mmCIF file of all heavy atoms in Angstrom:
data_model
loop_
_atom_site.group_PDB
_atom_site.id
_atom_site.type_symbol
_atom_site.label_atom_id
_atom_site.label_comp_id
_atom_site.label_asym_id
_atom_site.label_seq_id
_atom_site.Cartn_x
_atom_site.Cartn_y
_atom_site.Cartn_z
ATOM 1 N N PRO A 1305 -5.926 5.153 -14.558
ATOM 2 C CA PRO A 1305 -5.454 4.158 -15.518
ATOM 3 C C PRO A 1305 -5.243 4.690 -16.929
ATOM 4 O O PRO A 1305 -4.384 4.187 -17.655
ATOM 5 C CB PRO A 1305 -6.565 3.098 -15.499
ATOM 6 C CG PRO A 1305 -7.174 3.223 -14.157
ATOM 7 C CD PRO A 1305 -7.113 4.680 -13.819
ATOM 8 N N GLY A 1327 -11.614 -2.586 -23.281
ATOM 9 C CA GLY A 1327 -12.095 -2.655 -21.908
ATOM 10 C C GLY A 1327 -11.641 -1.465 -21.084
ATOM 11 O O GLY A 1327 -12.421 -0.894 -20.317
ATOM 12 N N VAL A 1328 -10.366 -1.085 -21.238
ATOM 13 C CA VAL A 1328 -9.844 0.066 -20.505
ATOM 14 C C VAL A 1328 -10.577 1.335 -20.924
ATOM 15 O O VAL A 1328 -10.992 2.143 -20.088
ATOM 16 C CB VAL A 1328 -8.327 0.214 -20.729
ATOM 17 C CG1 VAL A 1328 -7.825 1.522 -20.121
ATOM 18 C CG2 VAL A 1328 -7.576 -0.966 -20.115
ATOM 19 N N THR A 1331 -14.066 1.403 -19.546
ATOM 20 C CA THR A 1331 -14.030 1.708 -18.115
ATOM 21 C C THR A 1331 -13.808 3.190 -17.872
ATOM 22 O O THR A 1331 -14.491 3.823 -17.062
ATOM 23 C CB THR A 1331 -12.917 0.888 -17.429
ATOM 24 O OG1 THR A 1331 -13.126 -0.502 -17.689
ATOM 25 C CG2 THR A 1331 -12.921 1.133 -15.928
ATOM 26 N N ILE A 1332 -12.842 3.757 -18.587
ATOM 27 C CA ILE A 1332 -12.543 5.180 -18.413
ATOM 28 C C ILE A 1332 -13.729 6.041 -18.835
ATOM 29 O O ILE A 1332 -14.070 7.033 -18.184
ATOM 30 C CB ILE A 1332 -11.290 5.575 -19.214
ATOM 31 C CG1 ILE A 1332 -10.078 4.778 -18.721
ATOM 32 C CG2 ILE A 1332 -11.016 7.070 -19.089
ATOM 33 C CD1 ILE A 1332 -9.797 4.939 -17.248
ATOM 34 N N PHE A 1335 -16.182 6.085 -16.118
ATOM 35 C CA PHE A 1335 -15.763 6.972 -15.039
ATOM 36 C C PHE A 1335 -16.123 8.427 -15.347
ATOM 37 O O PHE A 1335 -16.595 9.163 -14.497
ATOM 38 C CB PHE A 1335 -14.252 6.863 -14.821
ATOM 39 C CG PHE A 1335 -13.819 5.541 -14.264
ATOM 40 C CD1 PHE A 1335 -12.578 5.020 -14.588
ATOM 41 C CD2 PHE A 1335 -14.637 4.814 -13.429
ATOM 42 C CE1 PHE A 1335 -12.163 3.796 -14.077
ATOM 43 C CE2 PHE A 1335 -14.239 3.597 -12.906
ATOM 44 C CZ PHE A 1335 -12.998 3.094 -13.234
ATOM 45 N N VAL A 1446 1.117 -3.446 -16.235
ATOM 46 C CA VAL A 1446 0.806 -2.371 -15.285
ATOM 47 C C VAL A 1446 -0.427 -1.589 -15.715
ATOM 48 O O VAL A 1446 -1.217 -1.157 -14.882
ATOM 49 C CB VAL A 1446 2.027 -1.441 -15.112
ATOM 50 C CG1 VAL A 1446 2.383 -0.728 -16.388
ATOM 51 C CG2 VAL A 1446 1.770 -0.439 -13.988
ATOM 52 N N SER A 1447 -0.632 -1.431 -17.023
ATOM 53 C CA SER A 1447 -1.808 -0.691 -17.485
ATOM 54 C C SER A 1447 -3.101 -1.418 -17.122
ATOM 55 O O SER A 1447 -4.100 -0.798 -16.758
ATOM 56 C CB SER A 1447 -1.740 -0.479 -19.004
ATOM 57 O OG SER A 1447 -1.549 -1.714 -19.671
ATOM 58 N N LEU A 1448 -3.091 -2.757 -17.183
ATOM 59 C CA LEU A 1448 -4.292 -3.530 -16.870
ATOM 60 C C LEU A 1448 -4.485 -3.674 -15.362
ATOM 61 O O LEU A 1448 -5.611 -3.629 -14.875
ATOM 62 C CB LEU A 1448 -4.208 -4.909 -17.532
ATOM 63 C CG LEU A 1448 -4.072 -4.893 -19.053
ATOM 64 C CD1 LEU A 1448 -4.130 -6.308 -19.607
ATOM 65 C CD2 LEU A 1448 -5.168 -4.038 -19.681
ATOM 66 N N VAL A 1449 -3.404 -3.858 -14.639
ATOM 67 C CA VAL A 1449 -3.501 -3.926 -13.186
ATOM 68 C C VAL A 1449 -4.110 -2.638 -12.646
ATOM 69 O O VAL A 1449 -4.989 -2.656 -11.779
ATOM 70 C CB VAL A 1449 -2.115 -4.172 -12.548
ATOM 71 C CG1 VAL A 1449 -2.195 -4.058 -11.029
ATOM 72 C CG2 VAL A 1449 -1.584 -5.547 -12.936
ATOM 73 N N SER A 1450 -3.663 -1.498 -13.173
ATOM 74 C CA SER A 1450 -4.207 -0.208 -12.740
ATOM 75 C C SER A 1450 -5.685 -0.108 -13.058
ATOM 76 O O SER A 1450 -6.465 0.444 -12.280
ATOM 77 C CB SER A 1450 -3.438 0.935 -13.415
ATOM 78 O OG SER A 1450 -2.096 0.944 -13.007
ATOM 79 N N SER A 1451 -6.096 -0.658 -14.205
ATOM 80 C CA SER A 1451 -7.508 -0.630 -14.575
ATOM 81 C C SER A 1451 -8.338 -1.486 -13.626
ATOM 82 O O SER A 1451 -9.396 -1.071 -13.154
ATOM 83 C CB SER A 1451 -7.684 -1.129 -16.014
ATOM 84 O OG SER A 1451 -9.051 -1.124 -16.368
ATOM 85 N N PHE A 1452 -7.849 -2.697 -13.323
ATOM 86 C CA PHE A 1452 -8.572 -3.560 -12.392
ATOM 87 C C PHE A 1452 -8.714 -2.894 -11.029
ATOM 88 O O PHE A 1452 -9.753 -2.998 -10.382
ATOM 89 C CB PHE A 1452 -7.836 -4.887 -12.224
ATOM 90 C CG PHE A 1452 -7.854 -5.754 -13.445
ATOM 91 C CD1 PHE A 1452 -6.753 -6.533 -13.770
ATOM 92 C CD2 PHE A 1452 -8.961 -5.806 -14.270
ATOM 93 C CE1 PHE A 1452 -6.764 -7.334 -14.895
ATOM 94 C CE2 PHE A 1452 -8.986 -6.607 -15.401
ATOM 95 C CZ PHE A 1452 -7.875 -7.372 -15.714
ATOM 96 N N ARG A 1453 -7.667 -2.220 -10.602
ATOM 97 C CA ARG A 1453 -7.700 -1.571 -9.283
ATOM 98 C C ARG A 1453 -8.782 -0.505 -9.222
ATOM 99 O O ARG A 1453 -9.292 -0.183 -8.148
ATOM 100 C CB ARG A 1453 -6.335 -0.935 -8.993
ATOM 101 C CG ARG A 1453 -5.232 -1.945 -8.727
ATOM 102 C CD ARG A 1453 -4.783 -1.900 -7.302
ATOM 103 N NE ARG A 1453 -4.135 -0.653 -6.969
ATOM 104 C CZ ARG A 1453 -3.707 -0.350 -5.736
ATOM 105 N NH1 ARG A 1453 -3.892 -1.189 -4.752
ATOM 106 N NH2 ARG A 1453 -3.114 0.801 -5.495
ATOM 107 N N ARG A 1454 -9.129 0.064 -10.375
ATOM 108 C CA ARG A 1454 -10.165 1.099 -10.387
ATOM 109 C C ARG A 1454 -11.545 0.522 -10.138
ATOM 110 O O ARG A 1454 -12.515 1.280 -9.977
ATOM 111 C CB ARG A 1454 -10.152 1.837 -11.721
ATOM 112 C CG ARG A 1454 -8.924 2.681 -11.955
ATOM 113 C CD ARG A 1454 -8.619 3.589 -10.800
ATOM 114 N NE ARG A 1454 -7.539 3.084 -9.966
ATOM 115 C CZ ARG A 1454 -7.182 3.584 -8.807
ATOM 116 N NH1 ARG A 1454 -7.810 4.599 -8.280
ATOM 117 N NH2 ARG A 1454 -6.196 3.060 -8.133
ATOM 118 N N ALA A 1455 -11.667 -0.817 -10.090
ATOM 119 C CA ALA A 1455 -12.947 -1.408 -9.679
ATOM 120 C C ALA A 1455 -13.295 -0.996 -8.263
ATOM 121 O O ALA A 1455 -14.433 -1.167 -7.815
ATOM 122 C CB ALA A 1455 -12.879 -2.928 -9.788
ATOM 123 N N SER A 1456 -12.330 -0.427 -7.558
ATOM 124 C CA SER A 1456 -12.592 0.089 -6.215
ATOM 125 C C SER A 1456 -13.703 1.129 -6.215
ATOM 126 O O SER A 1456 -14.350 1.354 -5.179
ATOM 127 C CB SER A 1456 -11.313 0.702 -5.637
ATOM 128 O OG SER A 1456 -10.893 1.817 -6.412
ATOM 129 N N GLY A 1486 -16.551 -2.750 -18.685
ATOM 130 C CA GLY A 1486 -15.155 -2.487 -19.059
ATOM 131 C C GLY A 1486 -14.184 -3.465 -18.431
ATOM 132 O O GLY A 1486 -13.256 -3.965 -19.081
ATOM 133 N N ILE A 1487 -14.407 -3.778 -17.151
ATOM 134 C CA ILE A 1487 -13.532 -4.740 -16.475
ATOM 135 C C ILE A 1487 -13.702 -6.126 -17.093
ATOM 136 O O ILE A 1487 -12.720 -6.858 -17.304
ATOM 137 C CB ILE A 1487 -13.862 -4.776 -14.972
ATOM 138 C CG1 ILE A 1487 -13.473 -3.445 -14.329
ATOM 139 C CG2 ILE A 1487 -13.131 -5.919 -14.265
ATOM 140 C CD1 ILE A 1487 -13.913 -3.307 -12.888
ATOM 141 N N THR A 1490 -11.814 -6.343 -20.325
ATOM 142 C CA THR A 1490 -10.383 -6.403 -20.099
ATOM 143 C C THR A 1490 -9.944 -7.805 -19.679
ATOM 144 O O THR A 1490 -8.923 -8.310 -20.148
ATOM 145 C CB THR A 1490 -9.978 -5.395 -19.006
ATOM 146 O OG1 THR A 1490 -10.520 -4.107 -19.339
ATOM 147 C CG2 THR A 1490 -8.467 -5.251 -18.919
#
Side-chain angles (χ1 to χ4, degrees):
V1328 172
T1331 304
I1332 299 303
F1335 292 149
V1446 64
S1447 54
L1448 301 185
V1449 173
S1450 296
S1451 179
F1452 291 144
R1453 289 248 294 177
R1454 292 310 102 189
S1456 63
I1487 292 173
T1490 309

